[in-house]
């Protein structure tokens, strides 16, 4: 079992802390790591795609679970898979697509582990149809603070406390997932542009009723009558009948071929992705979408274009980036309009600003998705006045009964947590019973008193 003391940071690279990184290679080593993690406790970590401090533990231990990466059983008749929690969604796609199955929910990157997808209860652009990841988890094995392993199924308090709780109830070892069938590794994708935020919301709502996937990119630097303008994208899994006979995709309809581009340099100038670049990008994107069109795109190109660029987070410079994602319930559209106007007035250069619609909430006590509008922004951490701006947005969101996504957070004030997540008291109570010594902890848990 490898051990190193190293700086650990989230994908945003904004607040590194030093921890003892432990890499268990089997279940026995994982148990030993938990039992020997010391007074500062430990937290599980996958591929490090949480933007904030959820998988950091200053002065304590971080368990790198990527060494537990076996796919045990794929039931191609029943559409289920049993795998270790360290298996990535990328690896699952490689194995499942040729068999005619797909991962149940696709977040913004496939470079996330199954354990991380459960711990973050990740969501995709088809949330109104598919829900969050936990809906498709039949059961998982959880290593708890006393060193015992529990098989946890849906409909139990431990299941509801664990999904979305970012590793604070224990270490997920294995999971059994239910899978959706697909006929090809392609998506049928349509785009259309909208002249302002109200039209974006109307077109997005219409697209979500007619297609499995629907999302919108908002231009936060557009002003005046164009405030909140955007591009709405909708998509469905392409059927085999949509492929042109004789083509490569027709001969190999389920081939999974992600592209890989060169990584950016280790250090880029801070401010490279500034307001001028963002404004130009937004204008070019808007003009390119002048006419509605439909095309076939490979699954990697549609869902994860940035995954083809290793270490793309470096393009934000040494200061890193802050991802801010908030949720506002249906009926709170005025609050969404105010937030977009505030972001526009601050001239926020977000790459990108993504609006989605969410459907029914899952059972997770700390899960982010609930019915409403989700707005996600990638912002340069060096942006002047950013901290005060986001604090103000937090207060606006909380006052409207909304919430921010904890898996992407590194700065939320603890006094707003209860207003955003009404089951926090239930979570703290169960965690106190399950882990009275605070074995599982993180920088986020200490910051928010979880």
């Amino acid at each position: 079992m490898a051990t190193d003391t190293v700086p650990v940071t989230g994908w945003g690279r904004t607040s590194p802390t030093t921890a003892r990184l432990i890499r268990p290679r089997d279940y026995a080593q994982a148990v030993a790591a938990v039992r020997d993690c010391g007074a500062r406790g430990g937290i599980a970590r996958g591929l490090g795609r949480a933007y904030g401090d959820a998988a950091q533990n200053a002065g304590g231990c971080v368990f790198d679970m990527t060494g537990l990466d076996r796919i045990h059983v794929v039931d191609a008749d029943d559409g289920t898979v049993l795998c270790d929690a360290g298996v990535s969604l990328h690896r699952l796609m490689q194995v499942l697509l040729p068999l005619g199955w797909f991962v149940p929910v696709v977040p913004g990157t496939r470079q996330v582990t199954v354990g991380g997808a459960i711990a973050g209860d990740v969501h995709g652009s088809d949330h109104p149809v598919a829900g969050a990841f936990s809906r498709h988890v039949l059961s998982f094995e959880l290593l708890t603070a006393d060193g015992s392993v529990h098989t946890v199924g849906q409909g139990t308090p431990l299941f509801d406390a664990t999904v979305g709780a970012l590793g604070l109830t224990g270490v997920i070892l294995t999971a059994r997932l239910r899978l959706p069938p697909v006929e090809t590794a392609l998506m049928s994708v349509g785009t259309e542009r909208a002249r302002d935020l109200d039209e974006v919301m109307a077109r997005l709502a219409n697209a979500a009723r007619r297609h499995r996937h629907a999302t919108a990119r908002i231009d936060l630097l557009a002003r005046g009558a164009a405030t909140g303008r955007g591009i709405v994208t909708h998509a469905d899994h392409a059927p085999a009948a949509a492929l042109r006979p004789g083509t490569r995709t027709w001969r190999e309809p389920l081939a999974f071929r992600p592209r890989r581009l060169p990584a950016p340099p280790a250090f880029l100038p801070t401010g490279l992705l500034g307001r001028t670049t963002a404004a130009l990008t937004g204008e070019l994107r808007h003009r390119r979408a002048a006419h509605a069109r439909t095309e076939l795109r490979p699954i990697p190109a549609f869902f994860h274009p940035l995954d083809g660029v290793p270490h793309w987070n470096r393009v934000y410079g040494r200061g890193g980036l802050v991802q801010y994602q908030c949720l506002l319930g249906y009926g709170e559209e005025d609050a969404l309009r105010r937030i977009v106007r505030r972001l526009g007035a601050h001239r926020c250069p977000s790459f990108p600003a993504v609006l989605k619609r969410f459907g029914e909430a899952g059972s997770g006590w700390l899960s982010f998705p609930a019915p409403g509008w989700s707005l996600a922004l990638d912002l340069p951490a060096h942006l002047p006045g950013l901290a005060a701006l986001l604090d103000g947005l937090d207060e606006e969101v909380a006052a409207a009964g909304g919430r921010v996504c904890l898996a992407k957070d590194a700065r939320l004030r603890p006094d707003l947590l209860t207003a955003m997540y009404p089951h926090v008291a239930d979570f703290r109570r169960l965690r106190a019973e399950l882990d009275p010594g605070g074995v599982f902890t993180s920088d986020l848990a200490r910051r928010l008193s979880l």
Side-chain angles (χ1 to χ4, degrees), residues 111-201:
Q111 301 299 337
V112 60
T113 62
V114 169
I118 296 171
D121 202 12
V122 299
H123 57 271
S125 53
D126 61 347
H127 188 272
V129 177
F133 200 85
S134 60
R135 182 185 294 183
H136 310 273
V137 177
L138 300 176
S139 64
F140 54 80
E141 288 185 312
L142 185 72
L143 170 60
T144 53
D146 61 359
S148 60
V149 176
H150 306 260
T151 299
V152 183
Q154 291 191 7
T156 63
L158 189 51
F159 186 96
D160 297 343
T162 299
V163 298
L166 303 172
L168 295 177
T169 61
V171 178
I172 299 168
L173 298 176
T174 68
R176 186 181 298 275
L177 312 175
R178 185 168 298 283
L179 311 168
V182 292
E183 295 182 11
T184 73
L186 297 168
M187 303 296 295
S188 177
V189 184
T191 57
E192 50 192 273
R193 69 179 184 179
R195 63 181 179 269
D196 57 26
L197 182 59
D198 283 348
E199 187 176 349
V200 167
M201 288 191 287

Side-chain angles (χ1 to χ4, degrees), residues 274-288:
R275 294 184 174 104
T276 301
T277 308
L280 179 60
T281 301
E283 183 63 30
L284 290 174
R285 183 183 293 123
H286 202 71
R287 291 186 180 187
R288 192 169 61 242

Side-chain angles (χ1 to χ4, degrees), residues 1 55 59 65 95 101 138 205 210 238 269 326 375 389 413 420 449:
M1 182 165 53
M65 301 303 295
V95 172
W101 299 97
L138 300 176
R210 295 183 295 113
C326 64
L375 179 64
L389 172 67
R413 298 200 317 261
M420 294 181 173
S449 299

Side-chain angles (χ1 to χ4, degrees), residues 157-158 161 168-169 365-366 418 421-437 449-450:
L158 189 51
L168 295 177
T169 61
W365 294 342
L366 296 184
T418 302
Y421 288 90
H423 288 290
V424 164
D426 297 325
F427 175 79
R428 286 175 173 146
R429 191 159 43 245
L430 184 143
R431 186 165 178 255
E433 297 171 0
L434 190 67
D435 183 9
S449 299
L450 282 172

Side-chain angles (χ1 to χ4, degrees), residues 4 23 45 90 93-94 122 186 197 222 257 304 356 361 384 407 428:
D4 296 295
R23 301 178 180 87
R45 182 182 178 91
H90 173 87
M93 290 181 190
Q94 286 180 316
V122 299
L186 297 168
L197 182 59
R257 297 190 184 95
H304 308 126
K356 298 176 185 174
R428 286 175 173 146

